[in-house]
Amino acid sequence: MTDVIESSPRQTAGTAGTDRRTLLLLAHGSIEPQAQEATRALARAVGQSTACLVEVAYLRHARPTAHQALHTLAETGHNRIIVVPLLLTSAFHARVDLPMALADAPALPPLVTPVLGGSSTAPEGRLVAALRRRLVELDVEFDAVVVAAAGSSDSDACRSVSAMAAAVGADLGLPCLAGFASTASPTPAEAVEELRRAGARRIAVASYCFAPGRLFHQAAHASAEAGVVGVSKPLGDAPELVGLILERFHEACDANTGIDWL
């Protein structure tokens, strides 16, 4: 592996009494160093709540890649690997990049959990709570919200973001629309204007992303120019996200209890 991965304290493969399962957080990656720092902070937070080894890899723009991480783990005796993709929709990255990244796994192939964002009919409640937490942290009054996401040409992915926005609005009891930083419409700024035309005066933006990458900064800048009262920080190491990751990890472990991994 070319980069040192910051994670929970390492366990020695084969040590008596330790869980040799490894949780690999697979993030998209970004040209922004802050994004990788946020992912490593999330890994540390997850590692503090589980006895297993927690590692990080990336699909693009950063190292280690999934290929590098899986081979290094295999070389050190960690063959029971569960991959939790840090993806919010089942768009291109989930359908194409993720299988390609894991195609050349050494020894036993890893188990891969579903993406974290839920579907267009069932938004993930823990992420609704995490988005609410980040909005509350702004410490400003607001009467409407835009949920700002990266955007996709995949209509199902966009519908799942719109469903998340509807769930956030229902949770807060406020008007809430989705906005997309690229590819899809409306943009966050357009969503702000639509809410303003409907009577909202103090609009906040909930950043529906894991880390502060290029599209987060793009959406935040455009939203600020549109006159919002605040833009929340990314989900990062929010406790609700940590809990969701651990839930997916343990569900995968439970579903495969009795399988001889080694």
Side-chain angles (χ1 to χ4, degrees):
M1 204 177 298
T2 55
D3 288 3
V4 174
I5 305 175
E6 297 179 34
S7 62
S8 58
R10 293 184 177 273
Q11 300 163 3
T12 302
T15 300
T18 62
D19 186 348
R20 294 181 62 192
R21 291 174 178 144
T22 300
L23 195 172
L24 181 63
L25 296 177
L26 185 51
H28 179 272
S30 173
I31 59 173
E32 300 278 352
Q34 286 181 321
Q36 278 68 260
E37 292 171 7
T39 303
R40 291 192 292 267
L42 174 59
R44 288 193 294 270
V46 173
Q48 289 171 0
S49 299
T50 181
C52 75
L53 181 66
V54 180
E55 296 284 22
V56 171
Y58 304 94
L59 292 171
R60 299 183 178 187
H61 306 304
R63 293 187 177 185
T65 64
H67 176 84
Q68 291 169 330
L70 290 171
H71 278 262
T72 298
L73 287 167
E75 290 168 2
T76 54
H78 296 275
N79 289 319
R80 300 163 60 160
I81 301 169
I82 294 174
V83 176
V84 177
L86 295 183
L87 300 172
L88 292 169
T89 68
S90 296
F92 182 86
H93 298 306
R95 290 185 290 101
V96 179
D97 286 348
L98 180 60
M100 287 181 61
L102 301 175
D104 189 29
L108 293 172
L111 296 173
V112 184
T113 73
V115 298
L116 295 175
S119 68
S120 58
T121 57
E124 173 52 56
R126 291 186 192 236
L127 294 183
V128 173
L131 288 168
R132 182 180 67 236
R133 172 188 294 275
R134 293 299 188 228
L135 285 168
V136 169
E137 290 171 352
L138 288 173
D139 196 25
V140 296
E141 294 184 3
F142 51 89
D143 57 9
V145 175
V146 171
V147 171
S152 172
S153 59
D154 185 299
S155 58
D156 286 340
C158 293
R159 280 194 291 270
S160 72
V161 176
S162 296
M164 178 59 70
V168 170
D171 183 70
L172 295 171
L174 296 173
C176 185
L177 294 176
F180 303 94
S182 67
T183 310
S185 296
T187 66
E190 289 169 344
V192 167
E193 290 307 314
E194 184 174 342
L195 287 168
R196 193 167 282 136
R197 288 194 297 271
R201 291 295 175 263
R202 296 181 60 80
I203 302 163
V205 172
S207 300
Y208 192 39
C209 58
F210 292 115
R214 178 179 61 85
L215 292 178
F216 162 76
H217 291 299
Q218 182 177 311
H221 178 72
S223 299
E225 287 193 333
V228 301
V229 296
V231 177
S232 71
K233 67 180 184 179
L235 297 170
D237 59 355
E240 295 84 0
L241 177 56
V242 171
L244 175 59
I245 290 169
L246 290 170
E247 180 180 278
R248 293 293 172 86
F249 173 71
H250 291 302
E251 285 175 350
C253 292
D254 292 343
N256 289 274
T257 298
I259 291 179
D260 186 5
W261 294 57
L262 300 178

